[in-house]
Amino acid sequence: MRPARLAILFRLMAVLISAVLPAFGVSGPATAAQPSGRSPAQGGSRHAALQAALGWAVTSLGSPGALAGVLEDGRSTALSAGVADVATGRRTDPDMHFRIGSITKMFVATVVLQLVGERRLQLSDTVEQWLPKVVNGNGNQGSRITVEMLLNHTSGLYNYTDEKFMKQVLDHPHRTYKPIELVGYALAHPPYFPPGTSYAYSNTNYILLGMIIERVTRRAYAAEIRDRILQPLGLRDTFVPEVSDVLPPPFMHGYSMTPQGKTDVTEFNPSWAGSAAGMISTVGDLDRFEAALLGGTLLQSGLLNTMLTPTPLLDIKTGVGRYRYGLGIAITTLSCGVEVYGHIGEVPGSISNLYGTRGGSHVLASNLNGGWLLDAPFAEVTNNIEFCPDTTLTGTHSGRLTVTRPTVLAPGAQVGGPIVITGQNGLLAAGATIAGPIRASGGRGMELCDTTVAGATTVSGMNGPITVDGPVSACPPSVLQGPVVLSGNTGWIGINGARIDGSLRVTGNTTIQKTTSAPSETAIQANSINGSLVCAGNTPPPSNNGQPNTVRGAHVGQCAAL
């Protein structure tokens, strides 16, 4: 995954993370959403809602295809939508292979921790001990970086997969890279911070871990993954391709968005991704791996607990609890309070998600072959559908909806009256239709993606991110059919490529920035506004990030240049 895009995930996760309060209430005519909190996403229809989300990813987000696999208490469910190959029209199949990107890190971290359990390696060992003179220069010091810092991204090492490097990969997709070259690219830059003082996601860390595995075992890291994980678990459809350009059949073709449209980028030499993001698998194999890992089959209980313990240094950047990272594994709290553990993987043409509950009894794997869609809230929506049926609404709901606990409106959900957000709660709506206004006084955040609101949107006193997304964030435009007023809120605000049929007033909002690298600004960019755009008293002032708005009325105050 490209770390610049983690800021998007920080904001989306923050929308839904808050204390779990009494169930959302519904007033007005009786609907499928009863005061007990039961939702059509429960029971047997939960997978129907997940199938609908895959369809939404294809028909609305524009991914050519989508896959999902669920393993719950030993029972498997496999789902698919769209096409695996745009040129031939071949339909997707859940058994198809795809590139898993940074989910690779979970495999590498597992091997490292197994070596720790065998006392062949210690988390406190330094990079210099195992790779003498490899990490030095430009302020980088391998003698100050431990194995644990590599695992939890607190080393401070520059991430080599920056925009310049990735352009080189796409321009020369069949080139072979050696791990030492990748590390050298990173070391040409100074570190982000002194080792062990903060957090910054960096693929360089896992290239070094692959090299350390090979130094400790005197074998290729791919052989260690195969013999320690793949063969014992019977994962016959999971591979470490190393330098092979092709995927084993059947496979999902991968697509990136270029000026020429959707471009097939399936074949590339994965050596540039290596032990950070180079593996191939299927949703079924990923489910089995996740269940075994979280179930304690692969690691001693003490080491598994260590793996699943988040680094407190991440709180410096994102605030407590919004997004956490252990040793090669991400930890997320969903709308219903359930914690899930796993990873997102992104490489050109492929976006994969793997999450499960502690103990491994319930896991979900998914893949999109539209590689430009990481910014869309697909993972957040599908995780909440699968793991939080009580707080995820699907189908039609008439009458007023009062959000008294964090709530997700899944693709296809229709609310027939106003939505009122109160207390310390958040709302994520994706592919939804709201027939009344939205009113929020307080709350922890609101995210609208591909959502229509037939009325005014008024948000004040919210302590969390507010985003209304369109193509800037890989969503079809959200349509707000009335005036929008955002006033007196604290936290990130992003109005990104939406259509607003009235005026937009943004006044007296404050963005709190803990560090210079934290995601924090008021962005009003690439919107179509059928009234005036008025901004005053915001700290910092809004920006359009070089993407002007189309405004039929006047630009006023801080928004005069937007």
Side-chain angles (χ1 to χ4, degrees):
M1 186 197 307
R2 283 174 277 183
R5 295 201 176 174
L6 282 173
I8 301 292
L9 298 180
F10 296 154
R11 299 197 296 274
L12 293 174
M13 292 172 183
V15 169
L16 294 174
I17 294 169
S18 106
V20 178
L21 301 175
F24 50 78
V26 179
S27 61
T31 72
Q34 298 299 322
S36 67
R38 290 188 62 83
S39 160
Q42 283 189 311
S45 63
R46 173 160 41 93
H47 293 152
L50 186 58
Q51 180 68 59
L54 298 186
W56 173 70
V58 172
T59 59
S60 294
L61 297 183
S63 181
L67 304 175
V70 177
L71 183 59
E72 183 177 10
D73 296 327
R75 298 187 302 273
S76 297
T77 302
L79 306 169
S80 64
V83 298
D85 186 343
V86 170
T88 66
R90 182 175 182 178
R91 303 292 298 176
T92 54
D93 186 293
D95 292 332
M96 287 180 164
H97 300 90
F98 51 86
R99 300 187 189 277
I100 68 172
S102 286
I103 295 172
T104 300
K105 291 178 174 65
M106 294 176 64
F107 289 83
V108 171
T110 299
V111 171
V112 169
L113 291 172
Q114 287 180 344
L115 292 172
V116 171
E118 296 164 8
R119 300 185 179 182
R120 301 170 69 182
L121 185 64
Q122 295 184 47
L123 292 176
S124 60
D125 287 351
T126 66
V127 174
E128 183 68 18
Q129 284 177 253
W130 289 104
L131 304 173
K133 299 181 180 180
V134 169
V135 176
N136 56 60
N138 287 319
N140 298 287
Q141 295 179 273
S143 60
R144 298 182 60 194
I145 298 171
T146 66
V147 170
E148 184 173 15
M149 292 175 191
L150 297 179
L151 285 165
N152 66 15
H153 298 293
T154 61
S155 71
L157 291 171
Y158 183 83
N159 180 57
Y160 73 92
T161 54
D162 59 16
E163 288 187 15
K164 181 180 178 181
F165 180 84
M166 291 309 299
K167 183 179 185 303
Q168 178 178 298
V169 167
L170 293 173
D171 288 345
H172 306 282
H174 304 294
R175 174 180 168 180
T176 297
Y177 294 85
K178 294 182 178 179
I180 196 66
E181 291 181 74
L182 305 177
V183 173
Y185 187 96
L187 298 180
H189 300 80
Y192 296 124
F193 47 77
T197 64
S198 189
Y199 171 97
Y201 190 95
S202 176
N203 287 309
T204 308
N205 294 321
Y206 278 75
I207 297 299
L208 287 166
L209 287 169
M211 296 169 68
I212 289 172
I213 289 171
E214 294 185 344
R215 185 61 60 91
V216 173
T217 65
R218 300 181 182 275
R219 302 176 72 224
Y221 81 88
E224 292 296 320
I225 290 175
R226 182 190 66 228
D227 292 349
R228 292 171 174 270
I229 301 174
L230 306 186
Q231 289 186 349
L233 297 181
L235 305 182
R236 297 179 181 85
D237 289 308
T238 303
F239 306 94
V240 185
E242 299 188 87
V243 298
S244 174
D245 294 19
V246 299
L247 282 76
F251 60 86
M252 296 278 279
H253 283 251
Y255 297 88
S256 289
M257 193 64 73
T258 70
Q260 292 73 42
K262 296 175 184 176
T263 302
D264 193 323
V265 293
T266 306
E267 291 190 5
F268 59 77
N269 185 323
S271 60
W272 66 265
S275 52
M279 291 178 66
I280 293 168
S281 191
T282 63
V283 290
D285 265 14
L286 288 179
D287 280 344
R288 287 184 284 276
F289 164 67
E290 174 89 335
L293 175 63
L294 297 178
T297 300
L298 295 173
L299 292 174
Q300 302 167 14
S301 60
L303 287 170
L304 180 59
N305 288 335
T306 299
M307 183 186 213
L308 302 183
T309 300
T311 170
L313 293 173
L314 185 52
D315 294 343
I316 294 172
K317 301 189 74 169
T318 65
V320 175
R322 293 184 179 180
Y323 170 86
R324 291 159 292 158
Y325 201 91
L327 303 185
I329 198 163
I331 303 134
T332 303
T333 305
L334 301 176
S335 61
C336 56
V338 169
E339 281 192 337
V340 291
Y341 302 80
H343 222 290
I344 290 176
E346 180 215 10
V347 291
S350 181
I351 298 171
S352 304
N353 301 285
L354 177 63
Y355 287 97
T357 55
R358 195 153 186 160
S361 64
H362 191 182
V363 300
L364 166 67
S366 66
N367 176 258
L368 301 179
N369 61 348
W372 63 93
L373 294 171
L374 182 62
D375 291 355
F378 177 75
E380 289 74 22
V381 169
T382 52
N383 280 342
N384 278 280
I385 287 172
E386 186 58 36
F387 299 109
C388 292
D390 284 345
T391 55
T392 302
L393 280 66
T394 63
T396 301
H397 309 270
S398 61
R400 167 181 167 138
L401 174 64
T402 300
V403 176
T404 59
R405 70 187 297 180
T407 300
V408 177
L409 300 184
Q414 299 182 35
V415 177
I419 291 181
V420 179
I421 303 172
T422 63
Q424 297 299 305
N425 302 293
L427 174 71
L428 168 60
T433 301
I434 301 165
I438 293 178
R439 298 191 296 271
S441 178
R444 290 288 299 274
M446 181 179 76
E447 164 81 4
L448 306 180
C449 169
D450 185 29
T451 291
T452 297
V453 180
T457 300
T458 306
V459 182
S460 63
M462 186 166 279
N463 183 22
I466 301 168
T467 56
V468 181
D469 286 333
V472 173
S473 299
C475 288
S478 289
V479 179
L480 308 185
Q481 296 177 342
V484 178
V485 178
L486 307 177
S487 64
N489 301 290
T490 302
W492 163 277
I493 293 178
I495 314 298
N496 308 310
R499 193 190 93 193
I500 299 173
D501 290 344
S503 296
L504 171 61
R505 297 180 63 88
V506 183
T507 60
N509 301 285
T510 302
T511 295
I512 296 177
Q513 185 166 350
K514 291 191 174 185
T515 71
T516 56
S517 58
S520 58
E521 64 173 318
T522 297
I524 302 174
Q525 52 189 339
N527 300 288
S528 175
I529 301 170
N530 199 31
S532 297
L533 175 56
V534 180
C535 302
N538 299 288
T539 306
S543 167
N544 65 10
N545 293 319
Q547 301 187 73
N549 299 277
T550 300
V551 181
R552 181 163 294 185
H555 294 255
V556 179
Q558 291 176 316
C559 288
L562 303 188

